[in-house]
Amino acid sequence: MKCSECENKAIIEIENRAFCKEHFVKRFEETALKTIEEFNLFNKGEKIGVANSGGKDSLSLLYFLAKYFDKDKIISITIDEGIPGYRDKTIEIMKKYTEKIGVNYYIFSYKDLFGESLSNLVKKNKIKIPCEVCGSFRRYALNYAAKKLNLDKLATAHNLDDESESIVMNLIQKDIQRFVRIGPNVGIEENEMFVPRIKPFMFLHEKETMLYAIINGIYALHEPCPYTRFGIRHEVSEWIKRLEDYYPGSKKNIVNNAIKLKNKFNFESKKLSKCKICGFPSSGEICEVCNYRIAYGLLTK
Ligand code: SF4
Ligand SMILES: [Zn+2]
Ligand SMILES: [Zn+2]
């Protein structure tokens, strides 16, 4: 297969077009730069945190931002849940590449923030679905870290696959109100205690971030977290991938139409108050994380 832009051999096919290495990198970086510009994701001089798990997506994002913007304004943040045999390996990878890219990094652990590692918490409390508590703790920890480091924006490496999956998941089993979280910039006007999230890779396919990582010498761990469960999200993900194979452009259509819906219906964020224990934004008197901490004996009421 030949590149759609030149005579060279193509290495990837995206939405009915083929690209050689050079034209793929050009398309990739231009797409991310256009997303940043069109949605005004950040301004010159702003301090940007990158949520860095040590995986291919977040390392690609860090590499890309450091290549095009002021490295001194970029900070890498890693959350250490405390999952032996998994997170310790990804942290080693994160350190290796983040140092190579030349960006400063910070690690925040559940143990320090909440008083216990995830694996101990799961063992002691016989937690059946660790991802629920882990997801909640991670969102909290990232926001805590971003506030602590005085960041203006927090960039995550969500791609077109992640975003289209979330949209379909929200339609199937969650609340359509969660459409407020759709789009490349989230939480800009939500609450001063929240550091806004931005997603520069939101219009790039997962296979593109994977290839971009390989081209730039980033090799991530292939083992999944031991607590990963193949639930409904996995089914949705497989379905969307098949749909994209048969009807290229489907993922982009899902995302673009969901953004239109979000804008048309002007979904409002829930009104939040302050958690009376930790002071972080909460829809109830006590936030979700403090409720978990009370339930698991990490806090007394
Ligand atoms: S797979 Fe679940 S438990 Fe593992 S890091 Fe992700 S959210 Fe946490
Ligand atoms: Zn080409
Ligand atoms: Zn709280």
Side-chain angles (χ1 to χ4, degrees), residues 140 275 277-278 287 290:
Y140 187 103
C275 167
I277 296 174
C278 70
C287 74
C290 287

Side-chain angles (χ1 to χ4, degrees), residues 53-57 59 83-94 97 210 218-226:
S53 66
K56 60 177 180 12
D57 291 346
L59 285 166
I83 307 173
Y86 169 68
R87 186 53 77 207
D88 37 358
K89 287 185 195 164
T90 63
I91 285 178
E92 281 317 304
I93 296 171
M94 179 281 290
Y97 287 110
M210 200 182 294
I218 296 164
Y219 296 94
L221 190 73
H222 288 295
E223 292 162 40
C225 165

Side-chain angles (χ1 to χ4, degrees), residues 153-183:
K153 304 277 163 64
L154 182 64
T156 61
H158 285 88
N159 55 43
L160 206 47
D161 296 58
D162 301 321
E163 199 73 357
S164 52
E165 282 165 23
S166 296
I167 291 163
V168 175
M169 289 286 291
N170 290 343
L171 288 171
I172 293 175
Q173 60 166 199
K174 298 258 176 65
D175 186 350
I176 197 155
Q177 192 64 35
R178 290 198 182 210
F179 268 40
V180 288
R181 296 187 191 166
I182 291 170

Side-chain angles (χ1 to χ4, degrees), residues 81 83 86-87 118 130-131 134-135 138 225 227-228:
E81 302 90 347
I83 307 173
Y86 169 68
R87 186 53 77 207
L118 184 72
C131 292
C134 185
R138 186 187 301 106
C225 165
Y227 297 124
T228 302

Side-chain angles (χ1 to χ4, degrees), residues 45 126 159 187 270:
K126 300 189 174 46
N159 55 43
K270 279 186 188 157

Side-chain angles (χ1 to χ4, degrees), residues 93-157:
I93 296 171
M94 179 281 290
K95 283 184 187 166
K96 179 177 150 192
Y97 287 110
T98 305
E99 276 166 6
K100 202 166 150 193
I101 293 166
V103 168
N104 288 330
Y105 66 80
Y106 292 83
I107 302 173
F108 291 78
S109 73
Y110 285 4
K111 177 97 176 69
D112 290 342
L113 291 177
F114 309 119
E116 193 58 284
S117 67
L118 184 72
S119 63
N120 280 344
L121 217 54
V122 170
K123 259 184 253 155
K124 285 182 191 163
N125 299 281
K126 300 189 174 46
I127 298 173
K128 290 210 174 65
I129 309 176
C131 292
E132 283 179 0
V133 49
C134 185
S136 189
F137 276 22
R138 186 187 301 106
R139 274 192 300 279
Y140 187 103
L142 278 171
N143 194 55
Y144 173 90
K147 274 275 164 209
K148 183 112 187 141
L149 297 168
N150 225 358
L151 304 179
D152 295 297
K153 304 277 163 64
L154 182 64
T156 61

